[in-house]
């Protein structure tokens, strides 16, 4: 009902706003047209910025601010401020209601809580989130044994030691690289696993449906949470929960100055990575049509498909239980008479994938810099991980119901308003 009301509000307010904006643009021509253009640019840029991170977010929000400032100036120099303000408010309400319509909350099947759950936490991860939110104390209050990951400790050894002592539930409060280690052991032993978003970005938590702003509440996954099965992926036997990047980015993260100056390091890496002897000439792979290719400035292999370059839900995975790898290759045609890339951007899904090379390849695995001997063999492990998620958290990706485009979005809004939309079904029914 909440989503249906939001859809009705989005359609009604959106239609009224469009009509009012057209009237203003015509009656106050040409100033009204310029005001309308500024408002539309501000709305689109703000939406773009909110859905992205890093420099893209900064640029999007900056453009939105400048466009909105331009609209305010045009209104101030002569016009009906009240009517113009209604147009701005109408656009903002439409955007908010549309987003609420496409936000899903899944009621996962309740399962018995583990008798001896254990939480591993990195006190330094995410700028010290674990300490700031007193994760160890909160875990003890819920009957979860906390184990701190200290400098020099081997996380996998700690996890296996805890299991040997009787742990029947494993949770990790840290970055995605640490999440992969704990998730790998949990999947191997068929133990329930909980992702506590105490890292810097928490991409895995986001796509699982864990509220990244509720670090402490995520611990309730081992109190009265629900369970879903999700996929894991691996490269040459190493498990990853998000993605593996090869090419320019992977070469850059290997460099000592990357953390201090990321953009500059990446730009400095481009000539080396794409020049003679660089990864662009080394990587060989087979496309979805079965043809062999050589080249690619960047290859991204992910645990399920990401939505890349979309207006809504960009950078997230709509599902993490499809049983397929997401594969994206970006690059220029190779030289030497080899078969060139047919397009600069190629994206597909497959249960396995292989990248060969004439030398060991640098790789960014869930944000960690590693080097693998070629060939790199990727495969998906469908439904390998039993994930517990707190009942108050969404339980599904923020893009699980998000439309692929404007037309699809309008169709879904209408269907939701009429009560005929596709419901956010429970994963692994």
């Amino acid at each position: 009902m909440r989503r249906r009301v939001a859809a009705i509000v989005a359609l009604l307010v959106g239609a009224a706003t469009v009509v009012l904006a057209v009237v203003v643009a015509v009656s106050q021509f040409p100033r009204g047209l310029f005001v309308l253009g500024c408002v539309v640019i501000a709305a689109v840029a703000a939406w773009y910025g909110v859905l992205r991170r890093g420099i893209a977010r900064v640029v999007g929000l900056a453009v939105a601010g400048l466009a909105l400032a331009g609209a305010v100036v045009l209104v101030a120099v002569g016009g009906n401020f009240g009517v113009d303000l209604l147009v701005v408010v109408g656009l903002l309400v439409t955007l908010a209601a549309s987003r609420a319509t496409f936000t899903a909350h899944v009621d996962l099947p309740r399962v018995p809580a583990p008798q001896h759950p254990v939480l591993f936490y990195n006190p330094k991860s995410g700028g010290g989130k674990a300490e700031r939110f007193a994760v160890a104390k909160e875990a003890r209050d819920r009957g979860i044994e906390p184990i701190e990951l200290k400098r020099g400790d081997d996380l996998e050894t700690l996890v296996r030691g805890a299991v040997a002592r009787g742990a029947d539930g494993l949770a990790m409060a840290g970055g995605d690289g640490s999440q992969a280690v704990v998730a790998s052991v949990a999947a191997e032993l068929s133990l329930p696993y909980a992702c506590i978003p105490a890292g810097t970005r928490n991409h895995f938590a986001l796509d699982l449906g864990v509220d990244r702003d509720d670090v402490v509440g995520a611990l309730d996954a081992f109190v009265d949470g629900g369970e879903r099965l999700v996929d894991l992926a691996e490269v040459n036997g190493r498990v990853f929960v998000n993605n593996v990047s090869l090419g320019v980015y992977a070469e850059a993260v290997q460099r000592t100055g990357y953390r201090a100056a990321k953009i500059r390091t990446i730009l400095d890496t481009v000539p080396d990575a794409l020049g003679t002897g660089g990864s662009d000439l080394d990587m060989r792979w087979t496309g979805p049509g079965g043809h062999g290719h050589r080249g690619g400035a960047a290859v991204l292999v992910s645990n399920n498909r990401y939505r890349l370059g979309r207006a809504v839900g960009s950078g997230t995975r709509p599902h993490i239980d499809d049983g397929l790898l997401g594969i994206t290759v970006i690059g220029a045609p190779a030289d030497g008479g080899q078969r060139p890339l047919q397009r600069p951007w190629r994206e597909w899904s497959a249960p396995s994938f292989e990248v060969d090379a004439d030398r060991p390849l640098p790789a960014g695995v869930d944000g960690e810099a590693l080097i693998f001997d070629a060939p790199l063999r990727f495969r998906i492990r469908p439904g390998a991980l039993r994930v517990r998620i707190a009942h108050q958290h969404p339980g599904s990706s923020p893009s699980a119901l998000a439309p692929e485009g404007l037309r699809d979005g309008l169709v879904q809004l209408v269907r939701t308003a009429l009560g005929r939309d596709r419901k956010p079904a429970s994963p692994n029914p």
Side-chain angles (χ1 to χ4, degrees), residues 144-214:
I144 304 171
E145 178 189 352
I147 297 179
E148 180 180 347
L149 178 63
K150 300 178 182 178
R151 182 182 295 274
D153 285 344
D154 181 79
L155 179 56
E156 183 176 350
T157 300
L158 288 178
V159 175
R160 294 190 181 278
V163 173
R165 296 192 303 272
D168 61 351
L170 304 174
M172 181 67 213
D176 287 329
S178 299
Q179 299 289 351
V181 174
V182 178
S184 176
V185 177
E188 175 189 333
L189 302 175
S190 192
L191 295 175
Y193 154 87
C195 178
I196 312 303
T200 302
R201 296 179 179 84
N202 305 298
H203 291 290
F204 191 44
L206 176 68
D207 293 336
L208 286 175
V210 176
D211 185 349
R212 296 185 296 177
D213 297 324
D214 186 16

Side-chain angles (χ1 to χ4, degrees), residues 129-150:
K129 282 185 181 179
E131 292 184 337
R132 187 160 66 252
F133 291 103
V135 166
K137 175 185 178 301
E138 295 289 348
R140 290 191 195 95
D141 291 345
R142 291 166 171 78
I144 304 171
E145 178 189 352
I147 297 179
E148 180 180 347
L149 178 63
K150 300 178 182 178

Side-chain angles (χ1 to χ4, degrees), residues 26 54 86 124 131 181 192 400 428:
V26 172
L86 280 177
K124 304 300 181 184
E131 292 184 337
V181 174
N428 323 121

Side-chain angles (χ1 to χ4, degrees), residues 96-404:
S98 298
R99 186 158 192 170
T101 302
F102 301 129
T103 299
H105 188 288
V106 177
D107 292 325
L108 298 173
R110 300 296 179 92
V111 287
Q115 297 301 305
H116 183 197
V118 174
L119 167 72
F120 303 90
Y121 68 98
N122 183 349
K124 304 300 181 184
S125 183
K129 282 185 181 179
E131 292 184 337
R132 187 160 66 252
F133 291 103
V135 166
K137 175 185 178 301
E138 295 289 348
R140 290 191 195 95
D141 291 345
R142 291 166 171 78
I144 304 171
E145 178 189 352
I147 297 179
E148 180 180 347
L149 178 63
K150 300 178 182 178
R151 182 182 295 274
D153 285 344
D154 181 79
L155 179 56
E156 183 176 350
T157 300
L158 288 178
V159 175
R160 294 190 181 278
V163 173
R165 296 192 303 272
D168 61 351
L170 304 174
M172 181 67 213
D176 287 329
S178 299
Q179 299 289 351
V181 174
V182 178
S184 176
V185 177
E188 175 189 333
L189 302 175
S190 192
L191 295 175
Y193 154 87
C195 178
I196 312 303
T200 302
R201 296 179 179 84
N202 305 298
H203 291 290
F204 191 44
L206 176 68
D207 293 336
L208 286 175
V210 176
D211 185 349
R212 296 185 296 177
D213 297 324
D214 186 16
V215 177
V216 173
L219 294 168
D220 291 336
F222 278 159
V223 177
D224 61 353
E227 183 172 285
R228 60 178 298 197
L229 298 178
V230 302
D231 304 337
L232 289 177
E234 63 178 50
V235 52
N236 289 9
R238 181 187 176 96
V239 169
F240 60 95
V241 295
N242 292 331
N243 58 71
V244 174
S245 59
L246 307 171
V248 174
Y249 174 77
E251 300 266 3
V253 298
Q254 307 287 330
R255 304 197 175 192
T256 55
Y258 174 75
R259 298 296 177 187
K262 295 183 179 181
I263 296 178
R264 180 178 178 180
T265 304
I266 291 175
L267 292 176
D268 290 342
T269 304
V270 170
D272 297 332
L274 303 186
T276 303
S279 62
D280 181 60
L281 301 182
D282 284 338
M283 294 189 292
R284 297 185 296 275
W285 48 276
T286 301
H291 299 294
H293 297 274
R294 181 178 182 179
V299 175
L300 180 75
V301 183
S302 57
N303 177 23
N304 283 246
R305 179 183 67 90
Y306 279 90
R307 295 189 63 170
L308 301 174
R310 301 293 184 179
V312 181
S314 180
T316 64
R317 289 165 285 186
H319 304 284
I320 201 167
D321 54 8
D322 281 343
L324 293 171
L325 298 168
I327 305 162
T328 303
V329 178
I330 306 171
D335 61 1
Q338 300 295 323
R339 178 188 295 272
L341 292 172
Q342 296 177 356
R343 296 183 298 276
W345 179 294
R346 174 172 292 192
E347 184 180 4
W348 73 98
S349 297
S352 62
F353 182 62
E354 182 174 313
V355 177
D356 203 357
D358 296 326
R359 65 181 176 97
L361 281 177
V365 183
D366 287 337
E368 296 187 8
L370 299 173
I371 296 178
F372 289 94
D373 290 330
L376 276 66
R377 295 187 174 94
F378 299 85
R379 74 181 183 98
I380 196 76
R381 294 168 52 185
L385 185 62
R386 298 169 52 196
V387 178
R388 297 287 176 89
I389 300 177
H391 70 277
Q392 70 270 24
H393 287 187
S396 68
S397 168
S399 59
L401 294 180
E404 292 287 342

